[in-house]
């Protein structure tokens, strides 16, 4: 690509100002616009995309696709993942922060900033000031709004504090289209951002959008085509030859996993979601949106974000090393291949980045059989009820709701009505209780994290507190962050649909592949660690989007295999 990509020599001040000024209240925008794009080159923009900039950026996140899974299955891919593996391959991408969950991970990919700066510290946090009984706040909800169904919530991207790449492009070149689709609302919203032309995610039995938006024909058609499968079920999927060795039941008490082939019973929506069928549906909708949203049709680059959630649901439900994950990755590879062929057929000049929001870890029952006997499930001593009792015993404070958390790892909060003195005593007691627990690797108070230096250097060697700092945002973070030892799985007991997970500060959850691909490019492999926050600056430079200094936590990765550069002056 050496000769194809050049940065503009000068960046106008007006353009920079435009790039900085971003829409603030777009989450409540009414229905998306379906009109064809206006002619390129809006008069207000002094800066144009670089010559030969791709006309469409396709940003793909495979939920829970660890660097380990990519390495394990790489030689078997023949479809879309095989194509991307001929591009610029960074097998050691890092979701470098400690809270390796879906929402923070997706928030890094197209913002170029770490989750703390994005304000997305975790999938959920506890905000004791919210004016409702439930104090747990979901990252992609508007907790100040009331859903029509009291058991539901109002989806929103309002918690995201920074713009996405698609928003930055739209701010400078308003004709650009910013479209996102996912199996999860947080996947679509955190990649798309606030100013988004079309956004869809899977919910229940079909794709839906933000409140106030009427699903377009593409979504309506996709939902219609899926209805018979959901209603009538579907047969098991084929087991590839190389999956046979993994096709073995591992008992987990009353049920077992490891040998599932995704036969779908009539009406079983949950099993549809935790299967390759969800990803195929998401990519089918993405394909329909190419046409409906006129993506990639003019010189102003568009952004299509695709977050594929089934790998995560499969990982949680069946672990990462059974026949289920093997079939899932085979089917995903083929579905991605078909999606890229659909792009090729439309003669769109597109560039792809594919990564993951976090990695994953198998269930300890199978890990124990497979040479990792140290892996085990966390004890219940780290759940908030047990910690509340322990801290109450040490301090004399009332135990009821003294320590609050969503589980046995991550952020912990103390009851907010404590006096400053009692809070300090409780915090010291809590920290002492935690670090004395043999399952705990580290426990940092908010003050300790706030005072620690910002992470620098290779994410591979960051100390644990730096990893915590990368997903720390004081107004939302806990009073203390708890990290379990490597190999301690924070699910005390497995249940159907939830046997394995991610979320730790360890590399099995932090390392993800980062693959960049464009037609005609010369591929290369760079095994040294990079970060997912490098993706946005890399893509911004690829299209010649001016971005203010300091806007990103990451750096531009030069995608030119030779002496040229795709990073312009930023290299
Ligand atoms: Zn995820």
């Amino acid at each position: 690509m050496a000769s194809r990509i050049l940065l503009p020599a000068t960046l106008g001040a007006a353009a920079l100002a435009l790039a900085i000024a971003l829409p603030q209240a777009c989450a409540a925008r009414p229905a998306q616009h379906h009109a064809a794009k206006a002619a390129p080159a809006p008069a207000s923009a002094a800066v144009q995309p670089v010559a030969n900039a791709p006309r469409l950026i396709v940003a793909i996140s495979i939920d829970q696709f660890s660097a380990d899974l990519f390495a394990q299955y790489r030689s078997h891919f023949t479809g879309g993942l095989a194509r991307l593996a001929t591009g610029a391959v960074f097998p050691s991408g890092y979701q470098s922060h400690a809270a390796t969950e879906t929402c923070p991970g997706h928030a890094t990919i197209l913002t170029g900033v770490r989750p703390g700066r994005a304000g997305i510290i975790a999938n959920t946090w506890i905000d004791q000031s919210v004016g409702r009984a439930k104090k747990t706040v979901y990252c992609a909800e508007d907790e100040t709004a009331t859903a029509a169904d009291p058991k539901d919530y109002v989806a929103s991207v309002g918690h995201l504090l920074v713009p996405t790449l698609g928003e930055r492009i739209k701010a400078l070149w308003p004709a650009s289209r910013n479209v996102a689709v996912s199996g999860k609302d947080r996947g679509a919203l955190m990649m798309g951002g606030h100013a988004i032309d079309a956004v869809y995610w899977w919910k229940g039995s079909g794709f839906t959008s933000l409140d106030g938006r009427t699903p377009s024909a593409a979504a309506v058609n996709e939902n219609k085509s899926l209805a018979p499968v959901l209603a009538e079920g579907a047969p098991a999927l084929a087991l590839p030859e190389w999956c046979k060795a993994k096709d073995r039941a591992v008992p987990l008490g009353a049920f077992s996993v490891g040998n599932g082939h995704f036969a779908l019973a009539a009406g079983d929506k949950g099993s549809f979601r935790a299967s390759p069928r969800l990803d195929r549906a998401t990519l089918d909708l993405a394909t329909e949106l190419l046409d409906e949203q006129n993506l990639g049709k003019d010189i102003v680059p568009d952004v299509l974000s695709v977050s594929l959630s089934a790998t995560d649901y499969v990982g949680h439900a069946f672990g990462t090393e059974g026949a289920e994950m093997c079939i899932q990755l085979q089917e995903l590879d083929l579905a991605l291949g078909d999606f890229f062929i659909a792009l090729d057929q439309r003669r769109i000049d597109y560039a792809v980045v594919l990564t993951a929001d976090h990695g994953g870890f198998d269930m300890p029952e199978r890990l124990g059989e497979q040479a990792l006997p140290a892996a085990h499930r966390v004890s219940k001593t780290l759940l908030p009820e047990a910690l509340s009792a322990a801290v109450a015993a040490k301090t004399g404070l009332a135990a009821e709701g003294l320590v609050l958390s969503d589980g046995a790892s991550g952020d912990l909060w103390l009851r907010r009505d404590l006096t400053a003195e009692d809070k300090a005593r409780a915090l010291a007691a809590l920290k002492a209780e935690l670090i004395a627990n043999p399952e705990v690797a580290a426990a940092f108070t908010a003050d300790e994290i706030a005072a620690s230096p910002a992470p620098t250097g290779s994410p591979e060697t960051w100390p644990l507190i730096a990893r915590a700092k990368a997903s720390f945002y004081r107004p939302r973070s806990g009073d203390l962050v708890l990290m379990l030892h490597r190999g301690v799985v924070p699910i005390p007991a497995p249940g159907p649909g939830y046997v394995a997970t991610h979320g730790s500060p360890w590399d099995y959850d932090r390392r993800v592949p980062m693959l960049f691909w464009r037609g005609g490019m010369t591929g290369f492999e760079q095994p040294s660690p990079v970060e997912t926050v490098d993706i946005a600056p890399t893509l911004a430079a690829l299209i010649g989007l001016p971005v203010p200094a300091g806007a990103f936590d990451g750096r531009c990765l030069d995608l030119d295999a030779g002496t040229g550069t795709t990073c312009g002056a930023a290299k």
Side-chain angles (χ1 to χ4, degrees):
M1 286 196 293
S3 59
R4 297 177 64 189
I5 295 153
L6 295 167
L7 266 188
T10 56
L11 306 177
L16 277 173
L18 263 173
I20 297 164
L22 283 154
Q24 291 300 309
C26 300
R29 277 158 56 113
Q32 60 267 51
H33 314 289
H34 299 300
K37 269 193 271 185
S44 61
V47 175
Q48 297 295 308
V50 290
N52 295 316
R55 295 184 170 196
L56 175 64
I57 290 169
V58 180
I60 301 171
S61 167
I62 300 179
D63 205 309
Q64 205 187 126
F65 189 41
S66 64
D68 296 327
L69 282 178
F70 176 63
Q72 187 180 350
Y73 287 101
R74 189 172 176 180
S75 64
H76 297 298
F77 294 138
T78 58
L81 288 163
R83 186 195 292 216
L84 299 188
T86 66
V89 175
F90 298 87
S92 255
Y94 270 79
Q95 291 280 6
S96 49
H97 49 277
T100 48
E101 295 183 339
T102 298
C103 219
H106 278 95
T108 68
I109 295 170
L110 290 181
T111 65
V113 308
R114 300 198 178 103
R117 188 169 167 192
I120 308 297
I121 63 156
N123 279 348
T124 59
W125 53 87
I126 292 173
D127 181 349
Q128 298 174 72
S129 72
V130 295
R132 65 181 187 192
K134 184 183 170 192
K135 301 303 181 190
T136 295
V137 172
Y138 173 52
C139 62
E141 74 162 322
D142 177 358
E143 67 274 20
T144 67
T146 306
D149 175 351
K151 282 183 278 186
D152 203 357
Y153 58 88
V154 176
S156 165
V157 71
H159 292 307
L160 182 67
L161 302 178
V162 290
T164 62
L165 183 71
E167 292 184 275
R168 289 186 182 279
I169 297 172
K170 278 185 82 71
L172 182 59
W173 300 311
S176 175
R177 308 289 288 168
N178 183 24
V179 173
V181 58
S182 174
K184 299 180 181 178
D185 52 10
R186 56 190 180 276
L189 291 168
M190 294 298 146
M191 289 182 83
H194 316 76
I196 190 159
D197 295 291
V199 57
Y200 293 104
W201 59 86
W202 185 260
K203 183 176 184 180
S205 55
F207 288 98
T208 190
S209 189
L210 290 165
D211 282 5
R213 294 193 181 204
T214 305
S216 65
V220 171
N221 291 341
E222 184 59 25
N223 288 346
K224 260 187 207 161
S225 76
L226 293 168
V229 178
L230 282 161
E232 296 156 24
L237 299 174
L239 183 74
E241 184 65 30
W242 64 89
C243 297
K244 287 185 176 167
K246 295 174 174 295
D247 192 28
R248 180 176 64 87
V250 178
L252 295 170
F255 67 109
S256 65
V257 300
N259 61 347
H261 297 180
F262 301 111
L264 184 65
D268 188 350
K269 295 174 191 171
S271 294
F272 176 89
R273 200 177 67 159
S275 84
R277 297 181 177 98
L278 175 63
D279 286 345
R280 176 68 75 169
T282 307
L283 287 165
D284 284 349
L285 177 54
T287 304
E288 292 181 61
L289 289 168
L290 291 173
D291 301 324
E292 186 177 84
Q293 297 291 323
N294 288 301
L295 299 181
K297 298 284 176 62
D298 61 31
I299 66 161
V300 177
D302 301 319
V303 178
L304 173 60
S305 298
V306 183
S307 166
L308 299 166
S309 309
T311 303
D312 185 67
Y313 289 128
V314 168
H316 284 305
F318 309 110
T320 61
E321 296 301 319
E324 299 93 343
M325 184 61 82
C326 197
I327 296 170
Q328 159 63 18
L329 293 179
Q330 148 89 351
E331 295 290 328
L332 172 58
D333 175 47
L334 297 177
L336 281 169
D338 291 344
F339 176 57
F340 296 144
I341 289 168
L343 281 155
D344 299 339
Q345 287 169 340
R346 287 161 176 77
R347 301 189 180 284
I348 296 171
D349 181 0
Y350 63 101
V352 181
V353 60
L354 182 144
T355 188
D357 56 341
H358 50 76
F361 195 58
D362 199 19
M363 56 182 194
E365 291 79 3
R366 187 162 41 212
L367 288 164
E369 293 177 354
Q370 297 179 348
L372 200 62
H376 64 278
R377 297 188 180 278
V378 72
S379 70
K380 293 186 176 174
T381 58
L382 292 170
L383 292 175
E385 299 75 19
L387 291 174
S388 292
V391 173
K394 284 183 178 177
T395 60
L397 295 165
E400 177 70 27
L402 184 53
V403 177
L404 306 167
S405 76
D406 288 338
S409 66
D411 291 77
L412 300 164
W413 289 260
L414 290 167
R415 199 173 60 217
R416 72 167 181 158
D417 64 1
L418 299 177
T419 65
E421 187 193 339
D422 283 347
K423 183 172 179 181
R425 287 197 303 126
L427 196 58
L430 177 58
K431 179 164 176 167
E433 177 72 17
L434 291 173
I435 60 180
N437 187 310
E439 294 184 313
V440 172
F444 303 114
T445 66
D447 283 346
E448 289 168 339
I449 297 168
S452 71
T456 56
S458 171
E460 200 173 23
T461 54
W462 288 2
L464 288 178
I465 197 166
R467 303 175 193 195
K469 178 112 180 174
S471 43
F472 177 78
Y473 175 59
R474 186 119 208 187
R476 294 176 189 158
S477 289
D479 295 308
L480 189 145
V481 171
L482 156 63
M483 296 175 176
L484 300 175
H485 275 300
R486 196 190 305 266
V488 183
V489 174
I491 303 173
Y498 196 51
V499 305
T501 194
H502 50 84
S504 83
W506 305 111
D507 279 6
Y508 48 74
D509 287 340
R510 293 170 81 220
R511 279 181 68 239
V512 294
M514 282 168 47
L515 315 176
F516 295 85
W517 182 90
R518 191 175 178 193
M521 79 181 284
T522 300
F524 66 90
E525 182 127 353
Q526 176 47 262
S528 288
V530 293
E531 293 186 62
T532 54
V533 292
D534 298 336
I535 291 170
T538 299
L539 297 174
L542 190 66
I543 61 173
L545 179 77
V547 176
F552 296 132
D553 290 337
R555 66 182 176 96
C556 178
L557 304 173
D558 177 13
L559 304 181
D560 186 294
T563 55
T565 178
T566 62
C567 291
K571 190 179 185 183

